[in-house]
Amino acid sequence: MVALHPILVVIAAGTLVCVFARAAMHKATDLTMFVHTMGGYRLLPAALLMPTALGLLFLEVAVILGLIVPVTRPFAAGIALLLLATYAGAIGINLSRGNTHIDCGCGGAGQGLSWYLVARNAVLGLLCLVAMASLLPVEMTAMAWLSAAAGILSAILLFAGIEKLIDNWSWLQASNRAFEQHNHEGHD
């Protein structure tokens, strides 16, 4: 296994903790809505939606806790990678069906399905691989911890900014289609 500088591993694990905390909070605060969202994916029978939602919530909380504890970090990052691949697969199946109107269920503001979400999960999967790496024998000084915290914050802000750009781009495309349809109808 590759050995990396501890700062890189802490940034990767910390970013994943934040991403999974957001997703778990979304599920925990409105599990019924998440179950409804899962139903929109049309991948599971209705009887399995609630148990699956509870299982995903449990796994996400376990990933969060596991990423924080150094000895369990590689295993938790592996579980995170499997979850992200599963989510990307479910999104990809629905995109291939043309089912883009449902919420992704990722947490935060509602967001329709897009290939961006699959790409985002792939990037998060790369962070999982970094979080699974063994550590070089380098001491983490106070400055190193501060650098890691800044790296985590930067990564989270970057993801949030990209998500907002994608949301705005989707809204702009829908607005342009409505404008063009309105103009087209006015000239007929």
Side-chain angles (χ1 to χ4, degrees), residues 80-148:
L81 182 60
L82 290 174
L83 284 170
L84 291 165
T86 301
Y87 298 155
I91 292 167
I93 288 169
N94 276 275
L95 286 171
S96 67
R97 293 176 178 167
N99 191 12
T100 61
H101 65 282
I102 60 173
D103 179 46
C104 68
C106 307
Q111 184 175 13
L113 301 185
S114 68
W115 288 110
Y116 155 72
L117 294 172
V118 175
R120 180 198 64 187
N121 282 6
V123 170
L124 291 171
L126 292 175
L127 287 181
C128 290
L129 296 176
V130 172
M132 293 168 70
S134 57
L135 304 177
L136 290 173
V138 177
E139 181 184 345
M140 284 290 284
T141 63
M143 185 55 76
W145 283 108
L146 185 61
S147 297

Side-chain angles (χ1 to χ4, degrees), residues 1-16 67 73-74 77-78 81 122-135:
M1 178 167 276
V2 176
L4 296 175
H5 194 287
I7 290 176
L8 297 175
V9 176
V10 169
I11 290 171
T15 301
L16 291 167
L67 287 169
R73 180 188 32 78
L81 182 60
V123 170
L124 291 171
L126 292 175
L127 287 181
C128 290
L129 296 176
V130 172
M132 293 168 70
S134 57
L135 304 177

